[in-house]
Amino acid sequence: MATTEEGPSRRTFLSRGCLQHSIYEWLTLVATLFVPLVVGILTVVLPLQQQNLSERQNENSKTIAINNRLQDMELLHDQQKQLILNTFEKDLTSLLFRYSTVSSGNDTYSDGDDEEEHDDDDNDDERISLVIRTKALYALRQLDPPRKILLIQLLIDSGVKNRIDLSHADFSLSVFPPGSFYDQLQFVNVIARNMKIQRISLYQSNFSYSILDGSSFNGSNCSHSDFSYASLQRTDWANTDVSQVMFNHSNLSGANITPQQLTTAFSLQGAILPNGSTALI
Ligand SMILES: *[C@@H]1O[C@H](CO)[C@@H](O)[C@H](O)[C@H]1NC(C)=O
Ligand SMILES: *[C@@H]1O[C@H](CO)[C@@H](O)[C@H](O)[C@H]1NC(C)=O
Ligand SMILES: *[C@@H]1O[C@H](CO)[C@@H](O)[C@H](O)[C@H]1NC(C)=O
Ligand SMILES: *[C@@H]1O[C@H](CO)[C@@H](O)[C@H](O)[C@H]1NC(C)=O
Ligand SMILES: *[C@@H]1O[C@H](CO)[C@@H](O)[C@H](O)[C@H]1NC(C)=O
Ligand SMILES: *[C@@H]1O[C@H](CO)[C@@H](O)[C@H](O)[C@H]1NC(C)=O
Ligand SMILES: *[C@@H]1O[C@H](CO)[C@@H](O)[C@H](O)[C@H]1NC(C)=O
């Protein structure tokens, strides 16, 4: 009994009296309160954090799932595009055999022996060209820029490129493989914005009536090519050979082409020059 009495009385004395001991007591108080307090806080905070964590984990796994799904879809789209190109190649190959006249760099080969028969042949050939054109335009609408170039390459390799009218097809953002030869390329009346056709041999090519805004011909050889009536706004002609090029009525507004280059052109009649003036000759 005496000890229990002594205890509180000593504590009260200590807390009232000496400062050192009151600090000790405060510390004990804090220490005794600390554990329940922390436990209390933790019991509230931990589940919240865990919830947060599991939510974040959930979100993470959701993002991963979405990313996987996107990758799957991309792969699927890629496969579909390849399938479209493969189908076009197959169709083209089987249609090539139906041409009755031999194709060459020229439009149609003709020796003029039997005129009536040749008229029929020409009509048939025209129909085949129309079928190829339809299939090509259909494929081009669905293909990505790299495969569009592959389709053009198929037409060139099979020797029918110049028979097929690809007017209004869209080749925007296409990148031609630098260093290759596309001499006498027929790119008439097409849309090809922001195309990269750099370090390409384009001798005697025809880009007339096409929309080529923002495209780059950097380092290419365009000599003797035709850009009449083309929209060439902000086009890049750095290191491009434009000797004997026809720029009649084209719009070179904002184009990167030097006055020295322009003097080598064959004709600039009616063209809007980079400085905004209209050329008279
Ligand atoms: C195209 O035709 C002309 C004559 O019409 C001929 O001289 C030339 O060799 C032909 N070009 C090709 C690639 O067949
Ligand atoms: C380029 O194509 C246009 C349209 O088909 C044609 O009128 C023009 O004569 C061609 N240019 C050359 C140099 O053959
Ligand atoms: C043109 O291409 C060359 C290299 O092929 C590059 O060094 C240069 O910066 C390019 N110029 C422009 C204006 O893009
Ligand atoms: C561009 O090509 C033409 C025809 O092949 C050639 O005569 C000319 O020298 C070439 N230009 C340059 C700068 O190589
Ligand atoms: C040529 O391009 C400029 C600049 O984009 C534009 O304002 C102008 O209308 C164009 N001219 C023609 C005839 O298209
Ligand atoms: C615009 O550029 C052309 C070709 O470089 C030049 O002949 C003409 O004098 C220039 N016009 C103006 C107003 O600077
Ligand atoms: C371009 O203009 C020149 C004259 O400056 C002319 O000889 C040529 O036939 C014109 N070409 C086109 C496609 O209009």
Side-chain angles (χ1 to χ4, degrees):
M1 280 308 233
T3 44
T4 43
E5 244 185 54
E6 202 190 315
S9 69
R10 202 182 63 164
R11 255 183 233 162
T12 45
F13 162 76
L14 282 174
S15 59
R16 276 188 207 132
C18 195
L19 198 67
Q20 278 170 324
H21 283 285
S22 89
I23 285 175
Y24 169 78
E25 265 217 345
W26 274 113
L27 282 177
T28 340
L29 184 67
V30 167
T32 34
L33 278 183
F34 184 72
V35 172
L37 201 68
V38 166
V39 169
I41 289 170
L42 282 185
T43 37
V44 176
V45 168
L46 263 186
L48 277 180
Q49 266 208 326
Q50 214 137 32
Q51 202 182 332
N52 244 348
L53 200 71
S54 64
E55 259 173 30
R56 231 179 292 155
Q57 268 172 343
N58 242 351
E59 254 168 53
N60 261 354
S61 55
K62 257 188 226 163
T63 326
I64 289 169
I66 288 170
N67 275 345
N68 282 346
R69 184 106 186 85
L70 279 179
Q71 270 175 5
D72 284 352
M73 274 176 21
E74 240 168 67
L75 198 68
L76 200 68
H77 279 159
D78 200 63
Q79 284 169 346
Q80 271 175 342
K81 280 167 192 148
Q82 190 57 41
L83 195 67
I84 289 163
L85 185 63
N86 291 353
T87 310
F88 176 76
E89 182 183 13
K90 235 183 276 170
D91 291 349
L92 176 66
T93 316
S94 64
L95 282 162
L96 283 178
F97 291 114
R98 306 238 194 130
Y99 274 116
S100 46
T101 52
V102 181
S103 67
S104 63
N106 292 329
D107 274 344
T108 45
Y109 168 81
S110 144
D111 50 46
D113 268 355
D114 189 333
E115 272 184 20
E116 210 170 276
E117 197 180 284
H118 262 289
D119 276 354
D120 284 353
D121 285 355
D122 283 351
N123 279 340
D124 282 349
D125 285 356
E126 222 163 280
R127 244 173 269 138
I128 295 162
S129 292
L130 268 178
V131 174
I132 295 177
R133 167 186 155 80
T134 309
K135 284 179 181 296
L137 290 182
Y138 176 74
L140 281 171
R141 267 197 293 274
Q142 299 171 83
L143 292 179
D144 48 356
R147 288 193 176 86
K148 286 179 185 187
I149 298 293
L150 290 177
L151 188 145
I152 291 287
Q153 194 62 53
L154 280 175
L155 291 175
I156 292 172
D157 291 344
S158 55
V160 294
K161 171 74 181 75
N162 293 349
R163 287 181 168 196
I164 313 300
D165 172 17
L166 292 179
S167 294
H168 307 297
D170 194 337
F171 295 97
S172 296
L173 298 170
S174 292
V175 180
F176 279 72
S180 31
F181 287 80
Y182 283 92
D183 291 343
Q184 299 180 317
L185 180 71
Q186 300 298 302
F187 239 43
V188 176
N189 200 16
V190 299
I191 300 157
R193 289 189 176 92
N194 302 313
M195 178 177 59
K196 279 201 168 66
I197 187 158
Q198 302 175 334
R199 290 200 289 117
I200 308 275
S201 187
L202 292 164
Y203 181 65
Q204 282 186 334
S205 292
N206 196 337
F207 290 88
S208 54
Y209 302 98
S210 291
I211 298 167
L212 300 160
D213 299 341
S215 291
S216 171
F217 293 86
N218 186 353
S220 287
N221 187 343
C222 295
S223 69
H224 292 86
S225 291
D226 189 351
F227 286 90
S228 300
Y229 297 95
S231 186
L232 301 168
Q233 297 170 44
R234 301 177 311 281
T235 39
D236 181 16
W237 303 86
N239 318 310
T240 308
D241 185 350
V242 292
S243 56
Q244 301 303 308
V245 164
M246 279 192 268
F247 282 117
N248 304 20
H249 302 281
S250 64
N251 192 348
L252 281 162
S253 164
N256 174 28
I257 190 166
T258 65
Q260 286 75 26
Q261 279 175 304
L262 288 175
T263 56
T264 68
F266 176 75
S267 158
L268 291 164
Q269 193 180 52
I272 296 162
L273 301 177
N275 62 14
S277 63
T278 303
L280 298 172
I281 39 137

